[in-house]
Each structure stands twice: as C-alpha cells, then as structure tokens.
C-alpha cells in the first residue's frame, strides 16, 4: 500500500465510520485506532491519551442514549420510584462522569498537543456545570452523611437536589435534565451537541498530529 493510498484509506475510516447514531453522533475510538495503524503510529502516550479520550466520549454518548431510552419508558408519574427509574438515574450518573472526564482530557489535548483553543461549546459556564453535576453524583454519600464542604454555604436540601428535585426524579423524567443547586444539563439537545462537538475536535486534533 502506497503512502498516498494509506492516507486516503485511513482518512476514510476516520471520517466515515460505521455506526452513525440517530442523533448524528459517530463513535470515534475504533476510527482513531485504525488511523494510527494505517500510519504506523506507535502505541505511545499520545496514542493512549487519544484512544482513552475517544473511548470515554463514546461511552458517555452511549449512556446518554440509554438515559433517553429509559426516560421514554417512564411515562407516568406513578412510575418515578420504580426500579427502572433508578436505572435511568444510574445511567445519567455514568454519562455525566464519563463526559466530565472527556472534558478534562480535551483540555489536556488542547494544552499539551494542539495548542489550539477548546471547542467553543465548552464555555466556562458549561464546563463548570458538568463538573458540579459530576461531583454531586460522585460525592452523594458525603452529602448523605452531612459531610458537606464547610467552605460552601449549602443547605441540606440543596446538597441532595440531584436526587430530590421536584418529587425524586421529575426533573430527570419530565424535563430530561440533571440538576444540582443552580447547575443543570439537558440530556437531549445539549448532550448531543456537546458530544458531537467534542468528537469533531478530537478527530481534527488527531488528524493534525498523525499524518
């Protein structure tokens, strides 16, 4: 395979992977690995950074899809407390945790590999919201035990709001978003837009580094 043929083939795999999702997102992990293989990219720190980043973003998107599917099955207020609702909540937690990690890693890519700006969609406000929501899930046991950061003025209801807002799940099931204090994240259009924007940013950064 000539270098020109290899370049065209690898670019086709990276840009036009199979498995386009209904909301327009396209999984990226395999494409990055294929691109690296075609270009004899060593399995070095940069390779593992980008594949790990792509994997976390792909996982976040899968979890958002699961949340949407789960919400679609919860169509009556009386069902908010059933076991399936807790599964939806768990999927939302996994989605926000993976998305937060992907955002952190994109920052590392921007700072240390491309030198370029972060995707425009990752405004300071949005990045803070994603982090606050991730932290709320991650440290729920501390809230439950009353171990709240004394540097913050927070009442108990606010600390538990990611679970208790409006009848334990109405925010999630009716409004399709997760919320904590004043922070919230839409699980439909906002989640899709963020995932696609991050996907394109990672794709372009990888393509610029591996030719």
């Amino acid at each position: 395979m000539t270098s020109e043929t290899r370049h065209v083939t690898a670019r086709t795999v990276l840009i036009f992977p199979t498995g386009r999702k209904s909301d327009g997102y396209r999984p990226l992990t395999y494409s990055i690995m294929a691109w690296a293989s075609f270009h004899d990219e060593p399995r070095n720190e940069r390779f593992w950074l980008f594949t790990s980043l792509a994997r976390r973003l792909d996982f976040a998107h899968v979890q958002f899809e699961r949340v949407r599917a789960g919400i679609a099955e919860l169509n009556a207020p009386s069902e908010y407390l059933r076991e399936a609702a807790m599964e939806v909540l768990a999927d939302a937690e996994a989605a926000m945790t993976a998305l937060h990690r992907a955002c952190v890693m994109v920052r590392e890519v921007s700072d240390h590999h491309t030198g370029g700006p972060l995707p425009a969609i990752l405004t300071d406000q949005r990045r803070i919201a994603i982090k606050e929501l991730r932290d709320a899930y991650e440290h729920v046991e501390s809230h439950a035990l009353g171990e709240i950061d004394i540097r913050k003025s927070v009442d108990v209801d606010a600390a538990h709001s990611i679970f208790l807002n409006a009848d334990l799940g109405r925010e999630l099931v009716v409004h399709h978003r997760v919320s904590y204090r004043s922070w919230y994240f839409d699980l439909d259009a906002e989640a899709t837009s963020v995932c696609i924007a991050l996907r394109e940013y990672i794709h372009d950064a990888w393509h610029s580094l591996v030719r």
Side-chain angles (χ1 to χ4, degrees):
M1 181 183 293
T2 66
S3 60
E4 181 179 356
T5 301
R6 183 173 61 182
H7 177 81
V8 172
T9 304
R11 183 171 176 80
T12 300
V13 170
L14 187 62
I15 297 180
F16 303 107
T18 58
R20 179 190 292 271
K21 303 300 183 178
S22 60
D23 63 358
Y25 182 84
R26 292 170 293 181
L28 185 58
T29 309
Y30 173 75
S31 298
I32 284 180
M33 296 179 71
W35 178 274
S37 178
F38 278 118
H39 286 271
D40 298 322
E41 174 74 4
R43 299 298 177 94
N44 55 17
E45 292 83 356
R46 185 173 70 182
F47 170 84
W48 291 116
L49 172 63
F50 273 86
T51 54
S52 296
L53 170 52
R55 180 174 56 81
R56 284 187 169 89
L57 183 61
D58 287 346
F59 176 71
H61 184 266
V62 167
Q63 291 304 121
F64 283 126
E65 288 187 307
R66 286 176 57 90
V67 171
R68 294 166 189 158
I71 288 174
E73 296 178 359
L74 298 172
N75 53 22
S78 62
E79 296 176 331
Y80 287 163
L81 297 179
R82 73 182 190 179
E83 185 175 353
M86 295 300 99
E87 294 178 4
V88 174
L89 185 61
D91 287 331
E93 175 181 357
M96 296 307 300
T97 299
L99 181 62
H100 171 258
R101 185 57 187 155
C103 289
V104 171
M105 295 178 74
V106 162
R107 183 65 177 267
E108 294 173 355
V109 166
S110 174
D111 290 345
H112 302 294
H113 292 276
T114 69
L118 291 170
I121 199 169
L122 283 186
T123 61
D124 290 344
Q125 188 76 359
R126 181 167 278 127
R127 286 192 297 110
I128 292 171
I130 292 171
K131 181 183 185 303
E132 290 286 340
L133 289 160
R134 177 265 180 192
D135 288 350
Y137 280 120
E138 186 72 12
H139 304 298
V140 65
E141 73 283 356
S142 297
H143 294 318
L145 296 172
E147 299 172 353
I148 301 170
D149 191 337
I150 60 174
R151 293 172 297 177
K152 297 180 180 179
S153 177
V154 183
D155 61 45
V156 174
D157 287 341
H160 293 81
S161 63
I162 199 160
F163 295 105
L164 299 182
N165 261 6
D167 300 336
L168 188 57
R170 186 180 298 274
E171 188 80 359
L172 181 69
V173 176
V174 175
H175 300 294
H176 294 197
R177 68 183 194 178
V178 290
S179 64
Y180 173 60
R181 300 183 196 156
S182 62
W183 311 105
Y184 64 88
F185 189 81
D186 172 66
L187 299 168
D188 293 326
E190 185 176 14
T192 293
S193 297
V194 169
C195 286
I196 290 177
L198 290 178
R199 193 257 181 216
E200 295 308 309
Y201 181 85
I202 299 164
H203 158 272
D204 291 345
W206 183 247
H207 178 247
S208 69
L209 293 169
V210 180
R211 295 180 182 277

